[in-house]
Amino acid sequence: MIRHLVFACLIFMAGQAYAHDFRLADLRLVHPFATPTPPTAQVGIAYVDISNQGNTAARLISARSHIAEVVELHTMTMNEGVMKMRQVQQIEIAANDTLKMRSGGGYHLMLIGLKQPLKAGEQFPLWLTFEKQGEIRIDVWVETAQDGGAAADAHHHH
Ligand SMILES: [Cu+2]
């Protein structure tokens, strides 16, 4: 019971005071969002910008959420006009650098085996594990790629 209360307060404070970003050691996780899916979709995609304020590279090595059977780290590339997605074992963020995830290419988190559709305006928790920094829970907002990208960009400018 007490543990639940503490947890609820932390989420409340994070949501209220800092709009939408999360800290883990030298890492800042900025405005995680996922795009809405049609009712019968089996997969969804989440994005989160990761700022590494440390002096060594950081590595995201896994992700999970109750909302999907598995969450894979993916990259997407265009090859002769054809979009190609593949799983990667890790996503590296260089020292003192920011990795931005956006729709249309590059890294993203693939939610496979969605247990419910992602509806605009809702949120869900996602756990990220980093090689050295360990695990963190973040709250992912469901919104369009355009809104999510714009909101994430705005976080980097203050
Ligand atoms: Cu993918």
Side-chain angles (χ1 to χ4, degrees), residues 12-158:
F12 179 75
M13 283 164 53
Q16 292 297 306
Y18 303 105
H20 196 203
D21 72 36
F22 305 85
R23 272 185 184 280
L24 174 67
D26 288 334
L27 304 175
R28 186 174 164 231
L29 302 138
V30 177
H31 195 78
F33 69 97
T35 44
T37 60
T40 57
Q42 300 295 302
V43 296
I45 303 184
Y47 307 88
V48 56
D49 289 358
I50 305 169
S51 255
N52 177 10
Q53 293 160 346
N55 293 319
T56 56
R59 284 175 202 92
L60 174 64
I61 54 172
S62 71
R64 66 188 171 85
S65 174
H66 70 272
I67 208 163
E69 271 156 36
V70 288
V71 181
E72 291 183 355
L73 313 180
H74 270 203
T75 187
M76 187 167 81
T77 50
M78 290 291 281
N79 197 349
E80 293 171 359
V82 180
M83 258 196 266
K84 220 179 160 188
M85 264 195 214
R86 72 183 167 84
Q87 189 180 7
V88 294
Q89 292 311 306
Q90 58 182 40
I91 295 176
E92 186 169 295
I93 309 99
N96 297 300
D97 198 9
T98 296
L99 174 96
K100 291 189 178 185
M101 295 189 200
R102 291 291 183 276
S103 70
Y107 291 118
H108 56 271
L109 308 172
M110 202 79 194
L111 313 167
I112 298 172
L114 269 188
K115 293 177 182 171
Q116 60 192 79
L118 304 179
K119 292 189 194 145
E122 295 186 347
Q123 358 184 318
F124 62 89
L126 183 80
W127 284 261
L128 298 177
T129 303
F130 291 86
E131 186 183 56
K132 277 180 265 176
Q133 293 83 355
E135 194 174 50
I136 184 173
R137 175 200 156 125
I138 60 176
D139 294 308
V140 179
W141 294 6
V142 182
E143 57 190 4
T144 65
Q146 195 181 356
D147 287 352
D153 281 337
H155 279 266
H156 294 291
H157 297 155
H158 54 68

